[in-house]
Amino acid sequence: METKTILIKNAIIIGDEIKKGSLITENDKISEIDYSNSSLNHADEVIDAEGKVLSPGLVNTHTHLSMSLMRGLADDMPLDTWLNDHIWPVEANLDGEHCYAGAMLACAEMIRSGTTCFNDMYFFMDHVADAADKAGIRGTLSHGMIDLGDEEKRKAEFKETQRIIDKCHETADGRIKVAFGPHSPYTCSRELLEGVRKEADKQGLRIHIHVSETQKEVEDVMEASGKRPFEYLDEIGLLGSDVLAAHAVWLDEDEMDIIKERGVALSHNPASNMKLASGVSPVSKLLEKGICMSLGTDGAASNNNLDLLEEMKLAALLQKVTTLDPTAMPAQKVFDMATRGGAAALGLEDEIGTIEVGKKADLILVDMKSSSLTPLRNPISHLVYSANGADVDTVICNGEMLMKNRELLTINEVEVISRAEEASEDLLSKL
């Protein structure tokens, strides 16, 4: 294979330290970092990043990409009403083409706002994998498994999950991986959850699940099992260091200790939790306990965007106002959640999440030459508190340029938007 190199020079690099320098990528990896700005001069492609910050690509650890077709469909209502009366009736009519169109739209939005890796749970996941492959982005995909105690449905969910594993795992030059996706303790039977643990162990795959998003969920699980959700999941043996649990809003001290002891990673979704009034996850306390925390947007129907830069600011401010402590969740901790924390939550900490020689070339350049980011004093502060997706200038994933100078290179955005509009209209016409 012919070697392909990219030189990014004169960038403010967020690495082990934050300072100006240059970086070279070779094929899919970072091959050299130089802070003297002298030895790196030649490459197949050269980017002068003067006035720009070079950051690891952002990692969105909880998404439902194809729900971008439902953006604005059902606002300002509780989760139960939102799901049962609006979202699930629409989802009953989904097909692969809908999910492909929604996923392509989501990939365009994520690339534009600096996300290079995502963790998705939904349906028709081979179509989502196809979209991610074409877009050039990195993702872990899981079919959302729901059986509601129905044995035939349970068998069908395992069959579909295995189909996606066989078809999509480790595809797209290794960018696409597949995980098991039991939806939640209240939509999945004990038999399904135990089966997931058995199969995940057997196949060496990770698990992605919603846990303790609302008070009602906790009450329902306690009524059914006599235990709180994380206690119940621990009792049946589901929890482990290969599990990523989304939301984790309603926790008691014992559950936090279980999460820590089992090495479970969590995905904090502040915008979705606020919009649905689900509550506030005790992120500051979880971080103090040394629990792996990451950041997710959830779907565009409950956020309503996939801008992880915006999510960082919300995460920081929400902890401060909830704890009445302005020192809670400092900018660096939030930035770490969106980068190295996300990588660790997906078991990818050896590949992505930080700028280091030998790691995958998943990188973004953020243009600091704007009125809202001037004067440039503290790059981490600006990324967390001042920047938004529109400030992202260039995106590289796996050594391939996905966006340069705000121009998408792997996606025809006009076509993607048009196709998504048509898919959404078709979906809603079936109600």
Side-chain angles (χ1 to χ4, degrees):
M1 185 180 72
E2 187 177 342
T3 300
K4 177 182 177 182
T5 56
I6 300 172
L7 166 61
I8 302 170
K9 62 181 186 179
N10 302 320
I12 300 168
I13 301 174
I14 301 179
D16 290 336
E17 51 187 329
I18 300 175
K19 61 188 294 189
K20 198 167 185 178
S22 298
L23 175 149
I24 283 189
T25 71
E26 185 174 312
N27 296 329
D28 62 339
K29 293 182 179 175
I30 298 168
S31 63
E32 193 172 350
I33 302 171
D34 175 41
Y35 291 109
S36 69
N37 274 315
S38 59
S39 66
L40 305 184
N41 295 303
H42 303 290
D44 297 323
E45 184 156 5
V46 178
I47 299 172
D48 187 349
E50 187 67 45
K52 298 180 177 67
V53 164
L54 181 64
S55 164
L58 305 180
V59 183
N60 187 340
T61 56
H62 186 61
T63 61
H64 309 290
L65 297 191
S66 301
M67 290 186 81
S68 59
L69 297 184
M70 302 170 207
R71 196 191 319 262
L73 172 65
D75 296 325
D76 312 321
M77 56 188 67
L79 177 64
D80 258 17
T81 307
W82 180 80
L83 271 177
N84 290 302
D85 299 346
H86 299 274
I87 299 302
W88 282 345
V90 172
E91 288 180 340
N93 297 306
L94 278 169
D95 62 28
E97 285 301 308
H98 294 135
C99 286
Y100 175 83
M104 280 300 289
L105 181 67
C107 284
E109 183 182 357
M110 287 192 297
I111 292 168
R112 280 210 170 279
S113 52
T115 290
T116 55
C117 180
F118 65 92
N119 183 44
D120 198 58
M121 179 196 292
Y122 211 54
F123 313 111
F124 301 97
M125 295 307 288
D126 49 340
H127 292 263
V128 176
D130 190 26
D133 184 11
K134 287 183 170 64
I137 200 167
R138 190 181 305 281
T140 298
L141 314 180
S142 52
H143 166 69
M145 305 171 77
I146 297 173
D147 70 341
L148 299 171
D150 184 313
E151 185 178 357
E152 288 306 308
K153 183 77 166 74
R154 181 161 61 253
K155 289 178 181 177
E157 295 295 60
F158 276 102
K159 183 178 180 180
E160 175 64 6
T161 293
Q162 194 60 52
R163 183 181 78 85
I164 299 301
I165 292 168
D166 294 342
K167 184 176 181 180
C168 303
H169 187 53
E170 293 291 1
T171 58
D173 298 320
R175 285 185 286 108
I176 303 298
K177 302 184 187 303
V178 178
F180 282 88
H183 177 266
S184 66
Y186 66 93
T187 55
C188 296
S189 66
R190 178 174 183 142
E191 290 80 7
L192 188 149
L193 294 169
E194 289 176 336
V196 162
R197 178 74 273 167
K198 181 180 176 182
E199 285 299 316
D201 287 343
K202 179 181 173 182
Q203 301 190 51
L205 298 178
R206 302 184 71 80
I207 298 170
H208 179 196
I209 184 171
H210 304 80
V211 189
S212 298
E213 184 174 0
T214 66
Q215 278 182 304
K216 185 179 188 308
E217 174 194 338
V218 174
E219 291 163 2
D220 289 347
V221 172
M222 288 185 72
E223 185 177 334
S225 70
K227 295 182 180 294
R228 295 178 65 86
F230 277 102
E231 292 173 333
Y232 166 65
L233 294 175
D234 189 45
E235 179 186 66
I236 66 175
L238 183 85
L239 301 181
S241 59
D242 56 356
V243 173
L244 190 154
H247 300 298
V249 173
W250 296 94
L251 307 173
D252 68 10
E253 288 289 340
D254 288 341
E255 287 183 292
M256 292 187 212
D257 290 340
I258 289 170
I259 292 165
K260 171 62 176 174
E261 184 179 342
R262 301 300 180 209
V264 174
L266 302 179
S267 177
H268 177 43
N269 296 211
S272 176
N273 293 160
M274 287 192 285
K275 184 166 185 269
L276 293 167
S278 299
V280 183
S281 177
V283 177
S284 297
K285 189 176 289 188
L286 292 164
L287 284 169
E288 286 173 10
K289 288 180 176 288
I291 291 166
C292 177
M293 296 298 303
S294 63
L295 206 57
T297 56
D298 212 346
S302 65
N303 186 298
N304 289 13
N305 65 42
L306 306 178
D307 186 343
L308 210 62
L309 283 166
E310 180 181 278
E311 208 76 25
M312 284 197 285
K313 180 175 183 175
L314 292 175
L317 301 190
L318 184 57
Q319 291 302 304
K320 294 176 190 298
V321 73
T322 302
T323 61
L324 298 179
D325 179 3
T327 70
M329 286 289 281
Q332 183 68 57
K333 283 192 176 180
V334 185
F335 179 78
D336 288 345
M337 284 172 62
T339 52
R340 68 176 71 222
L346 297 178
L348 298 173
E349 62 269 33
D350 292 337
E351 296 188 41
I352 63 171
T354 56
I355 296 180
E356 298 177 60
V357 171
K359 283 201 169 182
K360 292 288 189 181
D362 288 16
L363 304 162
I364 63 172
L365 282 170
V366 182
D367 190 353
M368 295 292 173
K369 292 180 180 176
S370 72
S371 56
S372 60
L373 297 173
T374 301
L376 179 55
R377 294 286 179 267
N378 184 333
I380 296 291
S381 170
H382 278 23
L383 289 175
V384 172
Y385 295 124
S386 304
N388 60 51
D391 296 308
V392 178
D393 176 85
T394 297
V395 174
I396 298 169
C397 182
N398 216 44
E400 295 292 332
M401 198 88 69
L402 308 187
M403 183 172 76
K404 185 178 181 182
N405 298 327
R406 293 292 297 163
E407 180 186 354
L408 293 175
L409 303 179
T410 56
I411 292 174
N412 183 324
E413 195 169 19
V414 172
E415 287 184 6
V416 164
I417 289 172
S418 175
R419 186 168 179 175
E421 285 279 14
E422 291 172 6
S424 181
E425 288 178 16
D426 179 67
L427 190 56
L428 295 178
S429 74
K430 298 178 187 296
L431 286 175

